[in-house]
Amino acid sequence: MRVLIVEDEAHLANLIARVLQRERYEVDVTYDGEAGLARALGGRYDAIVLDRMLPGVDGLEVCRRMRAAGVHTPVLLLSARRELDERVQGLDAGADDYLGKPFAFTELLARIRALTRRGDRPVLPAVLRVGDLTLDPRAHRVERAGREIALSQREFALLEYLMRNAGQVLTREQIRERIWGPAAEPESNIVDLYIHYLRKKLDDRPESLIRTVRGVGYMLRA
């Protein structure tokens, strides 16, 4: 299960992320509405935990724009405001559930489980396939032409990101932020290094699956 957290209070956002990760969720974190909306529109998530009060684009507007764009990912809206009108506004904007702050993490987890159980929502595919390459997020398994390939956790996350965006160029900055988070050093060559690791493990023929776009980043050939 993959969850997006959009919360401007960094300490709370990171605490929620750790709680979810302990429950074996994959978690992405953003700290403002613009970045959260971009992630919601560009990624595929099983649920989104969205703060009501965000700088710039607030949580209600993020919800409205998601729904207008045809994104139906379940949204749990968080807010320190518990008034009835506030809850009604959130639900009318497109949120699926509303949780007042402060909250117990046991309740947060229960509400996320309830949202992701709903059968009328699009869910992540069980297995990703690009050509003869397959990746199973649940089993943490990668195969190419029937040959199983052992990957580290970072290599697996990087390959999954590339496969979910096959045919699209991803910049080094996008990859660095997605896989290593905002704390990664911008001048580091960590992205190039892990692309090198992946190529060594994936490629058994002259043409690499992962194409270098000079001066920009990388693309997995569709």
Side-chain angles (χ1 to χ4, degrees), residues 1-3 25 45-48 74 109-119 121 123:
M1 290 287 182
R2 191 170 171 216
V3 177
Y25 289 92
Y45 295 95
D46 293 285
I48 297 174
L109 289 169
R111 288 176 182 263
I112 291 174
R113 287 194 298 269
L115 289 177
T116 56
R117 280 198 301 268
R118 295 182 182 178
R121 298 293 187 178
V123 296

Side-chain angles (χ1 to χ4, degrees), residues 4 6 35-45 48 62 66 71 73:
L4 173 64
V6 189
L37 180 61
R39 284 285 181 89
L41 296 179
R44 301 187 66 179
Y45 295 95
I48 297 174
V62 170
M66 281 174 51
V71 176
T73 307

Side-chain angles (χ1 to χ4, degrees), residues 1 17 39 49 64-65 67 73 81 98 105 118-119 127 130-131 155 163 165 167-168 185 195 207 213:
M1 290 287 182
R39 284 285 181 89
V49 179
R64 292 189 190 101
R65 293 188 193 180
R67 300 314 187 210
T73 307
R81 299 179 177 179
Y98 192 101
F105 286 108
R118 295 182 182 178
V127 178
V130 178
E155 290 166 348
M163 291 182 72
N165 295 277
Q168 300 181 44
E185 296 180 10
I195 291 290
E207 187 178 42
V213 182

Side-chain angles (χ1 to χ4, degrees), residues 25-139:
Y25 289 92
E26 291 181 56
V27 181
D28 291 333
V29 180
T30 63
Y31 304 103
D32 64 77
E34 287 284 1
L37 180 61
R39 284 285 181 89
L41 296 179
R44 301 187 66 179
Y45 295 95
D46 293 285
I48 297 174
V49 179
L50 177 65
D51 187 34
R52 164 71 171 80
M53 301 297 292
L54 293 167
V57 180
D58 70 10
L60 296 187
E61 187 60 24
V62 170
C63 250
R64 292 189 190 101
R65 293 188 193 180
M66 281 174 51
R67 300 314 187 210
V71 176
H72 301 293
T73 307
V75 172
L76 174 60
L77 197 66
L78 305 179
S79 179
R81 299 179 177 179
R82 294 172 173 267
E83 296 85 357
L84 176 61
D85 287 349
E86 288 291 327
R87 297 199 299 273
V88 170
Q89 287 179 20
L91 296 172
D92 283 346
D96 298 85
D97 199 0
Y98 192 101
L99 183 59
K101 296 179 180 179
F103 52 81
F105 286 108
T106 51
E107 183 177 6
L108 174 77
L109 289 169
R111 288 176 182 263
I112 291 174
R113 287 194 298 269
L115 289 177
T116 56
R117 280 198 301 268
R118 295 182 182 178
D120 59 341
R121 298 293 187 178
V123 296
L124 296 175
V127 178
L128 299 175
R129 291 184 174 86
V130 178
D132 61 357
L133 181 67
T134 62
L135 180 148
D136 186 338
R138 294 177 175 85

